[in-house]
Amino acid sequence: MPTLPLTLLVITHNEAANIARCLDSVPFAAEKVVLDSGSDDDTAAIAQAHGARVVHQDWLGFGAQRNFATTQASHDWILVLDADEYFGPEDAMHLTRLLPGVLAGDAAVAVLRRRTLYMGAPMRWYRPMVGERMARLYHRGRARWSDARVHESLRWDGRAESLDVAFEHLHNPTLPHKQLKVLRYAELKCRDWLERGRPPRVWMAPLVYVASFAKEALLRLALLDGWRGLVVAHTAAAYAVYKRIRYYEMVRNPESVEQARAVLLRHGLDR
């Protein structure tokens, strides 16, 4: 497969189980860069063995980490994947045929679709996991990541091109993996709220659960995926509630911010 003038960027921390599959699924990238925030497994060695240049950067938060990674690329056009994401062979070939036109054009970003495997099988109906549209290919002079600690987004000036290409996402392998991620993401989001001085509004928690569950189960069709869909709807609603009650605790007891940081750090969830 011919290589094209773009850089694949992957940010990692302890992704030894996933990184090889991710890197090998993008044979068309002229450069592969892994930005690692201090893995203590074999992530860096595996990445190097699979053709990536590994750069170390202490954790800055998701948005800032991605923006720093952008500065490490040798090419203006950048493809971003997480370590647990990859292209199937057919989609990689299809993208290779489409890319020359994209790279030569004036678009700021190209939008791809993401398909998700959950509890060991693909989701069939739940919209965010079936064909979620995401801007993952971008020109670094025309787009930039937000600086949010978590739930960062790509922002751009100019035209977005939509490509009929999908990549795969191996969602959290188990529910314990998911719950650990929830703890980390909620903590980061709450720190953002704390810096902005957002009112706690803990009284909204029951309403938030009902509204979030209904949104995921009905509007986003999780219910049609059976019990797995109900699990998805519940975990999404529980996350929405947990963020609010944890933020209330931060405001009510400011000492809990550093206390929680210390315990999360011991478990590798705050870096």
Side-chain angles (χ1 to χ4, degrees):
M1 186 177 292
T3 59
L4 296 166
L6 79 157
T7 298
L8 169 66
L9 288 182
V10 188
I11 61 173
T12 60
H13 183 262
N14 290 342
E15 292 287 356
N18 295 315
I19 190 62
R21 179 183 54 237
C22 174
L23 295 172
D24 291 348
S25 76
V26 190
F28 52 83
E31 180 185 47
K32 301 176 185 180
V33 176
V34 167
L35 187 71
D36 189 76
S37 57
S39 296
D40 54 17
D41 63 5
D42 292 330
T43 297
I46 294 171
Q48 290 171 337
H50 288 262
R53 174 164 55 91
V54 178
V55 178
H56 173 81
Q57 171 59 50
D58 290 341
W59 187 245
L60 302 170
F62 279 98
Q65 196 80 354
R66 293 198 190 279
N67 282 324
F68 179 82
T70 298
T71 68
Q72 302 303 299
S74 301
H75 302 281
D76 285 333
W77 276 100
I78 292 169
L79 172 66
V80 168
L81 290 179
D82 291 337
D84 61 356
E85 298 170 342
Y86 63 97
F87 287 96
E90 291 185 5
D91 281 300
M93 286 294 296
H94 187 36
L95 183 56
T96 303
R97 290 192 290 268
L98 297 175
L99 277 173
V102 176
L103 303 186
D106 62 352
V109 302
V111 178
L112 310 175
R113 289 182 293 111
R114 182 169 76 169
R115 293 187 294 246
T116 297
L117 281 76
Y118 186 68
M119 290 188 171
M123 297 293 274
R124 300 298 182 188
W125 292 96
Y126 181 51
R127 288 178 175 175
M129 291 187 178
V130 173
E132 185 179 15
R133 304 201 67 82
M134 309 183 81
R136 289 297 192 88
L137 179 67
Y138 63 97
H139 188 289
R140 64 179 169 187
R142 305 165 193 163
R144 186 181 187 280
W145 294 94
S146 66
D147 289 322
R149 283 192 176 95
V150 67
H151 304 314
E152 73 285 8
S153 59
L154 189 62
R155 298 172 179 174
W156 62 88
D157 295 318
R159 185 172 59 86
E161 186 158 342
S162 184
L163 304 181
D164 186 22
V165 178
F167 59 96
E168 312 295 333
H169 178 212
L170 293 175
H171 199 65
N172 303 285
T174 68
L175 286 175
H177 286 82
K178 173 65 175 178
Q179 293 306 110
L180 290 172
K181 183 179 288 188
V182 162
L183 287 174
R184 181 184 178 213
Y185 281 18
E187 201 69 14
L188 295 175
K189 191 64 177 178
C190 289
R191 290 176 196 167
D192 280 344
W193 289 347
L194 197 62
E195 285 184 359
R196 298 203 301 265
R198 170 176 164 152
R201 298 171 184 162
V202 71
W203 59 270
M204 293 181 63
L207 301 176
V208 166
Y209 183 91
V210 172
S212 180
F213 186 90
K215 173 185 173 183
E216 305 301 325
L218 302 177
L219 298 182
R220 293 184 168 181
L221 307 182
L223 189 63
L224 298 181
D225 273 305
W227 287 111
R228 289 188 304 146
L230 290 175
V231 170
V232 165
H234 165 72
T235 53
Y239 170 59
V241 169
Y242 175 75
K243 283 187 298 185
R244 284 158 176 81
I245 60 178
R246 171 61 183 134
Y247 181 59
Y248 170 74
E249 182 183 34
M250 285 182 171
V251 174
R252 181 85 167 74
N253 177 22
E255 292 182 1
S256 72
V257 177
E258 291 306 318
Q259 291 170 340
R261 192 192 305 271
V263 72
L264 291 172
L265 186 61
R266 285 202 300 271
H267 293 279
L269 299 176
D270 194 323
R271 53 185 193 276

